[in-house]
Amino acid sequence: MADFCRKYNVFRSYLPDDRPASIKAAREYGRKHSLRGMEKAVAVDRRAVGVVEGCQIINSLFYQDNLYINSNQKPLINQFQSYHRKQDKDGTILNQPAEGQEDHLIDSFRYACSSLYTALQKKYL
């Protein structure tokens, strides 16, 4: 997390509310090492925007050409390009990620984007 915050000059980190000790540890580490993104770690209510709803928001933004990922975000782009769903023995695509793939950045991206999108909608609608 610290490496990512340093590399991309992260302003704020969004961590799940079910691990308050992790949030506290991130803030303390951020203060100690002058990492603004970790120092400003905040809890996000995991009940606010569900996974399916978050995916729908991301898909909607993508198909409206309103989803932009900076080209220097290679790890995130690579995860999007290699992402695939699990399949059963007949080849039917299941509603869960395939095993053995990296998808943490995608989940984080979805979570942060859909949370911000929802907050903006509440503010302006």
Side-chain angles (χ1 to χ4, degrees), residues 3-109:
D3 290 342
F4 192 83
C5 286
R6 276 187 202 97
K7 183 175 182 178
Y8 297 108
N9 195 26
V10 173
F11 177 77
R12 177 171 289 132
S13 300
Y14 298 88
L15 302 173
D17 62 352
D18 64 342
R19 296 190 178 183
S22 295
I23 297 164
K24 183 179 177 188
R27 288 177 182 164
E28 289 172 358
Y29 188 92
R31 277 191 285 277
K32 184 177 179 181
H33 298 282
S34 299
L35 293 170
R36 181 179 56 194
M38 290 181 73
E39 186 177 346
K40 293 183 171 280
V42 294
V44 179
D45 184 355
R46 293 175 67 112
R47 298 165 292 157
V49 178
V51 173
V52 173
E53 183 182 8
C55 290
Q56 290 171 340
I57 290 169
I58 297 300
N59 284 339
S60 176
L61 291 170
F62 176 75
Y63 285 111
Q64 294 171 21
D65 286 332
N66 288 324
L67 180 65
Y68 302 95
I69 300 172
N70 191 308
S71 62
N72 68 0
Q73 302 298 318
K74 297 292 184 201
L76 178 61
I77 292 168
N78 289 341
Q79 280 190 19
F80 270 114
Q81 289 175 335
S82 66
Y83 185 83
H84 56 285
R85 307 298 283 175
K86 188 174 185 176
Q87 295 182 14
D88 66 13
K89 62 181 179 170
D90 299 321
T92 303
I93 296 174
L94 305 175
N95 191 20
Q96 62 189 87
E99 294 175 16
Q101 68 179 334
E102 293 289 326
D103 63 354
H104 185 72
L105 291 176
I106 292 173
D107 284 342
S108 300
F109 178 82

Side-chain angles (χ1 to χ4, degrees), residues 118-125:
T118 303
L120 287 171
Q121 278 196 320
K122 289 178 183 176
K123 182 176 181 177
Y124 293 108
L125 292 179

